[in-house]
Amino acid sequence: MAEVSISKQHIFQQKLVDIRRHLHQFPELSHEEFETTAFIRATLEAANIRIASEFNLETGLIAEVGGLQGGPIVALRADIDALPIQEETGLSFASKYGGKMHACGHDFHTAALIGVALLLKEREHELAGSVRLVFQPAEEKAAGAQKVIKTGALKGVRAIYGMHNKPDLPVGTIGIRPGALMAAADGFLVELEGVGSHAAVPETSVDPVVAAAYLVTALQSIVSRNVSPLESAVVSVTRLHTGTAWNIIPEKAILDGTVRTFDAEVRTRVKQRFSDIVTGIASAYGVKASLRWLQGPPSVHNDAALAEAAGQVAKRLGFEVTTPTPSPAGEDFAFYQQEVPGFFAFMGTSGPQEWHHPAFDIDERALTVSALFFTELAVDELSRFAAER
């Protein structure tokens, strides 16, 4: 693409913009991406790109370009679902569905991967193997990657590549980091059961409110006293539900929230300390406690060799390469990395707001940057893997 005329680049950019804006206007939530899937399918089929129907998904789809017999396979992934957020961008192509919005940029990811598919189709004769294009549903529910894996779509895949837009990086900048890039994202739900009473006679109660208050405070000691300052973890109690009236000590208190870690050993340690503290507080204050641990995706952890190869491609194309700070947000791309080597990049989008904000948007110039980068990366990596055979 870098070698063709400016006019052709402009036409390609406008095509990706049109695709992204269409997707933006018709966002669909996790597991509901039926129209989105149909649009992706129609766009790819119009370019004679094969839909890999053998990998059956209810929403989302997998396509392939290449197909050299016996050649290596690499996979590229984009997520396609939206969020339950009311859009406040004021864009002319804002969401037409109330309470639904592409506030995390998955419309951008999808449009960019369609662009990669189109470019790879033009260069199909150059490919030393096959590129499997994964349009994944339900990333926001951390469920889509596992659905894809269950189809067998990673069978024979040498490596998988993905990306997330990064609003705080300028367009033309690619965040490439070996090792931990995004956090393991777990949740918790704690229920404390005591004995209710009139608030004027607390001695007749077993007060879950007091126990809950101490528990919120005690949980903060996990990060400050059980995690090294050279490591990283987050423990956040985000909701506390209890009580019905000002003069009644309630029977129950319920807390929930999230835990974020980057290291597997730290993740295990934090979970154990969390359980110990819940048990200890419950015993000290005489309440019954139940803990439900909601295990989410592990940390996104980039293969060092894949990250090195990606950096070389980015620099060759003239893009700026930076080593980004790891993000405490979670990403179910990590499940793929448990199956095959994987690399996940941050693509600069010069956005006005962070992910999940109702005024979230991206600079659409990043569409072509992403399409060019992942096309060249796929071509290069297939050649590298073919030479190793």
Side-chain angles (χ1 to χ4, degrees):
M1 200 67 187
E3 299 176 355
V4 299
S5 67
I6 297 298
S7 61
K8 188 172 181 181
Q9 291 188 44
H10 176 75
I11 291 169
F12 180 71
Q13 166 70 10
Q14 189 57 53
K15 183 176 184 64
L16 298 191
V17 167
D18 291 344
I19 290 170
R20 183 254 167 168
R21 293 186 179 186
H22 173 88
L23 293 166
H24 192 87
Q25 290 181 82
F26 302 103
E28 295 176 296
L29 303 183
S30 298
H31 306 297
E32 301 174 4
E33 311 98 327
F34 295 101
E35 292 181 16
T36 302
T37 300
F39 175 79
I40 297 168
R41 179 184 296 273
T43 304
L44 296 178
E45 288 181 336
N48 294 316
I49 294 170
R50 185 178 81 84
I51 307 301
S53 56
E54 63 267 31
F55 307 119
N56 184 44
L57 290 165
E58 185 177 15
T59 58
L61 63 82
I62 297 168
E64 279 194 348
V65 178
L68 179 66
Q69 189 68 31
I73 304 170
V74 299
L76 304 177
R77 173 269 205 172
D79 37 16
I80 68 174
D81 54 331
L83 287 160
I85 292 175
Q86 181 62 43
E87 183 163 350
E88 297 177 4
T89 61
L91 295 169
S92 61
F93 53 91
S95 171
K96 294 184 180 295
Y97 297 155
K100 299 178 184 181
M101 179 194 174
H102 272 296
C104 203
H106 295 186
D107 54 337
F108 162 73
H109 302 162
T110 301
L113 187 57
I114 290 174
V116 174
L118 298 176
L119 292 176
L120 287 173
K121 187 64 179 177
E122 291 181 356
R123 301 175 62 180
E124 198 163 23
H125 63 283
E126 297 180 39
L127 301 181
S130 300
V131 181
R132 198 163 287 168
L133 305 155
V134 179
F135 293 89
Q136 181 209 298
E139 187 279 330
E140 296 295 351
K141 295 292 186 182
Q146 294 178 90
K147 285 180 177 287
V148 170
I149 292 167
K150 287 178 181 178
T151 69
L154 294 189
K155 184 178 180 180
V157 170
R158 292 289 303 271
I160 187 167
Y161 307 83
M163 68 158 169
H164 205 291
N165 65 84
K166 202 66 168 69
D168 59 338
L169 293 180
V171 172
T173 297
I174 303 176
I176 296 175
R177 185 184 189 94
L181 181 69
M182 299 185 74
D186 299 322
F188 58 84
L189 179 66
V190 180
E191 185 172 303
L192 303 175
E193 182 178 352
V195 176
S197 76
H198 195 294
V201 285
E203 72 277 9
T204 65
S205 75
V206 177
D207 192 343
V209 177
V210 173
Y214 274 93
L215 180 57
V216 171
T217 302
L219 289 173
Q220 305 313 305
S221 70
I222 295 174
V223 174
S224 65
R225 288 298 175 266
N226 302 123
V227 177
S228 166
L230 303 179
E231 298 170 327
S232 180
V234 174
V235 177
S236 292
V237 178
T238 56
R239 289 189 291 184
L240 172 56
H241 301 280
T242 189
T244 57
W246 67 279
N247 59 351
I248 299 173
I249 292 176
E251 292 183 347
K252 289 185 179 181
I254 299 173
L255 307 85
D256 60 356
T258 189
V259 173
R260 305 296 169 108
T261 53
F262 291 96
D263 178 83
E265 191 279 327
V266 172
R267 187 186 194 190
T268 299
R269 190 193 323 154
V270 168
K271 181 181 178 181
Q272 183 59 55
R273 288 299 299 137
F274 193 106
S275 178
D276 292 344
I277 289 171
V278 170
T279 300
I281 292 291
S283 176
Y285 291 93
V287 298
K288 296 178 181 178
S290 65
L291 167 60
R292 182 184 174 196
W293 193 262
L294 309 170
Q295 185 152 312
S299 172
V300 171
H301 197 278
N302 283 333
D303 180 270
L306 299 184
E308 173 65 23
Q312 292 176 4
V313 169
K315 291 173 183 176
R316 190 173 74 236
L317 292 173
F319 300 133
E320 185 73 22
V321 174
T322 188
T323 303
T325 301
S327 169
E331 236 293 347
D332 76 351
F333 185 85
F335 287 120
Y336 298 124
Q337 293 176 310
Q338 292 188 320
E339 304 293 323
V340 298
F343 166 74
F344 199 73
F346 283 153
M347 304 300 295
T349 52
S350 302
Q353 301 291 346
E354 255 299 346
W355 305 326
H356 296 210
H357 191 282
F360 175 89
D361 194 16
I362 58 103
D363 186 326
E364 292 173 325
R365 292 177 299 166
L367 288 163
T368 300
V369 173
S370 300
L372 289 173
F373 170 65
F374 281 99
T375 297
E376 199 67 26
L377 182 60
V379 172
D380 269 27
E381 292 290 77
L382 282 179
S383 295
R384 179 166 72 91
F385 290 135
E388 293 174 357
R389 294 174 71 88

